[in-house]
Amino acid sequence: MLRHMPPSPRQPLAPTAPQHHRPARTVTPRISDVLRAGPSFSFEFFAPKTEKGQQQFWGSIRRLEQLRPAFVSVTYGAGGSSRDGTVQVAGAIAEQTDLNLVAHLTAVNHSVADLRNVIGSFASVGVRNVLALRGDPPGDPNGPWIPHPDGLAYAGQLVELVKSYGDFCVGVAAHPEGHPRSPDEETDTRYFVEKCRAGADFAITQTFFYAEDYLRLRDRVSAQGCDIPIIPEIMPVTSLRMLERSIELSGCKVPVTLLDQLNAADAGGDAAAVRRIGIDYAAELSARLLAEQVPGLHFITLNMSTATMELYRLLGLGGREAVAARGSSAPITA
């Protein structure tokens, strides 16, 4: 049974690209431009590492593409563990779909030369939107962070490096509950604003469960004269194991009432109820944030599609499932 209090302290195989080739796109929309058009809805995936994972990944991409997301992102893996997979998936998405891609990039275990190679690889497959992250230590996300001797120490430096390579639109991470290594809110806000002023165009938050945490972060950043759009990340909980993993990685706070409901359903062996409770809470949180005029919502998919599609229905976004003007015409093979 998952306890009410979060833990403390908080301290590949290459995917097989689809074979249906599409004409190269001449213009990749910048996320900063996309956000000016109104609230965006976007999805996060990770690079698959097995053949079964590839089938699930591409099947979810095919289904969720019909929802016409403003963009999708592909994570980089702890310590850059999925670097090659991320680059190859980025290329396949750019080539096979009309989806706008944001590729994650972290500084962990990479020299500046390594990072330059990855940035060049992204550019070569048409990716122009990058989420620049310092990253968590490999193995233990709460362990000490040690920069590569020939690498970078801060996310702001990575933002500057990516920006130096041309017309990239660069995003950064935001922490509604404060970065786990920040001593206080004031320090956390100052470092976030400095990171934005290094050249960031937008931000995506870590997972959180209290709307007030996001709103306070937005107010603090605005008070510093920084108007960067901060996109909330939403995780629909579909199992207690997923929630435990999220707490381990981010140290996020979880409402006691939500945990009580999830634990009761889990103790009764009712996996469907656990899933329904988690998705309903994500929908309520999303609706509250949309009412507060957030720039968009970024849904964690875990390379699955059903929970995201249910959230769209609960939020009244079903009309986005119509045949998409921006959708890919060539089928994506799983």
Side-chain angles (χ1 to χ4, degrees):
M1 179 176 290
L2 189 61
R3 297 182 180 274
H4 292 169
M5 295 298 293
S8 60
R10 297 184 294 174
Q11 308 278 347
L13 294 175
T16 302
Q19 299 302 309
H20 299 276
H21 297 287
R22 297 172 54 81
R25 286 176 289 186
T26 57
V27 177
T28 300
R30 295 169 58 86
I31 301 306
S32 53
D33 294 333
V34 169
L35 295 176
R36 291 191 190 100
S40 71
F41 301 93
S42 53
F43 311 136
E44 177 183 291
F45 297 90
F46 61 86
K49 296 183 178 180
T50 66
E51 182 176 350
K52 181 179 179 180
Q54 291 170 28
Q55 294 173 350
Q56 178 175 298
F57 173 86
W58 289 111
S60 294
I61 287 281
R62 180 174 60 243
R63 288 184 290 273
L64 291 178
E65 186 183 12
Q66 298 176 44
L67 299 181
R68 296 187 296 172
F71 64 90
V72 299
S73 70
V74 178
T75 64
Y76 201 63
S81 57
S82 64
R83 178 179 69 181
D84 293 341
T86 298
V87 172
Q88 293 191 37
V89 164
I93 290 175
E95 182 181 48
Q96 299 299 315
T97 80
D98 284 332
L99 292 168
N100 193 18
L101 179 68
V102 174
H104 291 214
L105 176 63
T106 75
V108 180
N109 283 350
H110 289 339
S111 67
V112 171
D114 293 332
L115 293 168
R116 286 173 176 157
N117 286 334
V118 177
I119 296 167
S121 296
F122 286 151
S124 71
V125 296
V127 174
R128 286 296 184 272
N129 297 297
V130 173
L131 190 68
L133 312 166
R134 191 187 70 171
D136 294 323
D140 179 8
N142 297 312
W145 197 90
I146 302 173
H148 188 285
D150 298 315
L152 304 176
Y154 302 105
Q157 295 172 317
L158 184 55
V159 172
E160 292 174 344
L161 180 65
V162 176
K163 283 285 192 175
S164 73
Y165 273 75
D167 189 29
F168 280 96
C169 180
V170 181
V172 293
H175 300 264
E177 298 175 35
H179 192 284
R181 299 175 194 274
S182 291
D184 51 58
E185 282 188 351
E186 181 180 355
T187 302
D188 183 71
T189 304
R190 183 174 71 252
Y191 282 136
F192 175 75
V193 171
E194 289 177 0
K195 181 169 60 175
C196 294
R197 289 176 175 160
D201 300 286
F202 67 98
I204 299 177
T205 73
Q206 295 285 351
T207 296
F208 63 95
F209 290 91
Y210 288 96
E212 291 75 13
D213 287 332
Y214 169 87
L215 297 172
R216 283 194 292 266
L217 167 67
R218 187 173 68 177
D219 289 345
R220 292 196 304 272
V221 172
S222 178
Q224 295 296 316
C226 180
D227 61 356
I228 188 170
I230 303 174
I231 305 170
E233 179 179 81
I234 302 296
M235 184 183 75
V237 175
T238 56
S239 71
L240 279 182
R241 181 180 178 184
M242 174 202 293
L243 184 58
E244 290 168 346
R245 181 60 175 163
S246 180
I247 292 174
E248 177 187 355
L249 291 174
S250 67
C252 57
K253 299 177 299 186
V254 182
V256 171
T257 52
L258 175 60
L259 281 176
D260 284 344
Q261 293 172 356
L262 291 170
N263 280 321
D266 185 69
D270 194 342
V274 170
R275 192 174 183 282
R276 184 180 65 253
I277 292 165
I279 291 175
D280 285 348
Y281 188 89
E284 292 171 5
L285 176 60
S286 297
R288 167 74 192 284
L289 292 167
L290 289 172
E292 294 286 350
Q293 299 184 323
V294 296
L297 298 172
H298 191 58
F299 299 108
I300 296 178
T301 70
L302 297 181
N303 289 6
M304 294 179 281
S305 61
T306 308
T308 302
M309 297 179 86
E310 288 183 37
L311 271 174
Y312 262 53
R313 177 181 57 80
L314 291 171
L315 292 170
L317 302 173
R320 300 176 70 90
E321 297 179 44
V323 176
R326 286 167 29 200
S328 123
S329 56
I332 301 175
T333 56

